[in-house]
Amino acid sequence: MSTTPDPIAALGTLPGVADSVDSVRKAVDRVYGHRIMRRRSNEITSEAALRGARGSAALSGAEWALEEVRRRSDFSGDGEERTVGGALRLTAEAGQLLSIWRQSPLRVLARLHLVAAADSAEAAGRPRLAGETVDEPLIELPLPDADEVAGRLEGLSQLIIAGSSAPALVMAAVVHGELLTLRPFGSHNGLVARAAERIVLVGSGLDPKSVCPAEAGHAELGRAAYVAALDGYASGTPDGMAAWIAHCGRAVELGVRESTAVCEALQRGAA
């Protein structure tokens, strides 16, 4: 009896990827074992959401201080305000879409874009059509045409629905990298891609309480490193793919460090 190849699981055999997966798993286990997590995990989740949104917005060009994101309540302006507001809305929305993701990932992606765009434009919530432009100035990879986008989105959807034996880190990195490479929407693709990465990490069971904000880690590693690693993914070479997965792994570990610091601060306050 023949079996269908699992191309995502095959990425787990690339040199160095297993080490990244193991390192991430150990880091996540450590923060989940922290004594504060057992008593105040809701507070850690809320703070991780804020820091993750701040990091995602920074990677899309709105590099605000954490306290500015925390205190601001009105994000109705243009430019950076809308970017930060979109990141915050996506972080809140992602948790509501976990049950739908494995059955209808394209529906989830459409919803994420609609939430990020927060407007009634015809293009909001649907992949771009032939001839439509993309507003994603920080990503300079060649832009696939609408037909290629549709085909690759459908292929990604089928892989997600079928399931994979790949580690959560590998699946999350592929979803993130594919969406950023394709830029299927007319805007906010970076925010959507990072929200989708969060959904995979949480829904897979690696980070069920959503306390390991990879977006914060990506921001800490810096925009230049992020773009360089994405170039590796887009190249499709084994070394490039492995480098992107490792980069995503480091981002998760840095997200873990953020939440560990929050745990330590809360523990000192309770002492």
Side-chain angles (χ1 to χ4, degrees):
M1 180 178 176
S2 63
T3 58
T4 302
D6 183 346
I8 296 181
L11 296 176
T13 66
L14 292 174
V17 170
D19 290 341
S20 293
V21 169
D22 185 56
S23 182
V24 166
R25 177 76 268 175
K26 288 177 179 176
V28 173
D29 285 347
R30 283 195 297 271
V31 73
Y32 271 81
H34 198 286
R35 60 182 295 190
I36 289 293
M37 274 293 296
R38 293 194 291 271
R39 295 185 284 117
R40 302 175 70 175
S41 64
N42 287 343
E43 292 173 70
I44 309 302
T45 296
S46 295
E47 185 64 19
L50 186 72
R51 294 178 183 224
R54 182 261 165 201
S56 190
L59 287 168
S60 285
E63 200 159 348
W64 287 18
L66 180 63
E67 291 310 313
E68 174 68 8
V69 178
R70 193 190 305 280
R71 73 167 188 82
R72 184 76 74 95
S73 58
D74 181 7
F75 298 94
S76 59
D78 292 329
E80 291 189 2
E81 289 89 349
R82 293 193 65 184
T83 298
V84 176
L88 287 166
R89 290 191 300 273
L90 283 179
T91 300
E93 186 76 9
Q96 310 303 312
L97 299 171
L98 291 170
S99 62
I100 306 171
W101 176 254
R102 285 294 299 273
Q103 286 74 44
S104 185
L106 297 185
R107 179 182 163 196
V108 169
L109 293 175
R111 175 62 185 169
L112 290 174
H113 185 253
L114 194 64
V115 169
D119 61 37
S120 57
E122 181 186 351
R126 66 152 174 81
R128 55 188 167 86
L129 304 176
E132 291 183 338
T133 59
V134 172
D135 180 15
E136 203 74 40
L138 301 178
I139 305 298
E140 298 180 351
L141 291 169
L143 188 67
D145 64 30
D147 287 341
E148 181 179 351
V149 168
R152 286 174 63 172
L153 277 181
E154 182 59 33
L156 181 64
S157 174
Q158 290 175 3
L159 287 170
I160 293 166
I161 292 169
S164 172
S165 59
L169 171 64
V170 175
M171 177 62 83
V174 168
V175 168
H176 184 170
E178 190 71 0
L179 292 174
L180 261 188
T181 301
L182 293 178
R183 282 147 292 161
F185 302 106
S187 62
H188 301 93
N189 290 284
L191 295 181
V192 169
R194 291 183 288 274
E197 179 186 49
R198 171 181 287 268
I199 287 173
V200 175
L201 293 172
V202 174
S204 67
L206 176 65
D207 180 23
K209 295 182 183 294
S210 194
V211 298
C212 306
E215 307 97 318
H218 284 299
E220 184 173 342
L221 288 167
R223 199 177 300 151
Y226 184 67
V227 171
L230 179 64
D231 286 346
Y233 176 87
S235 75
T237 65
D239 286 349
M241 299 287 281
W244 169 251
I245 294 167
H247 183 87
C248 291
R250 289 193 294 274
V252 175
E253 291 184 67
L254 289 171
V256 168
R257 190 175 72 179
E258 289 268 324
S259 287
T260 301
V262 174
C263 286
E264 294 294 333
L266 289 174
Q267 182 167 279
R268 289 193 297 273

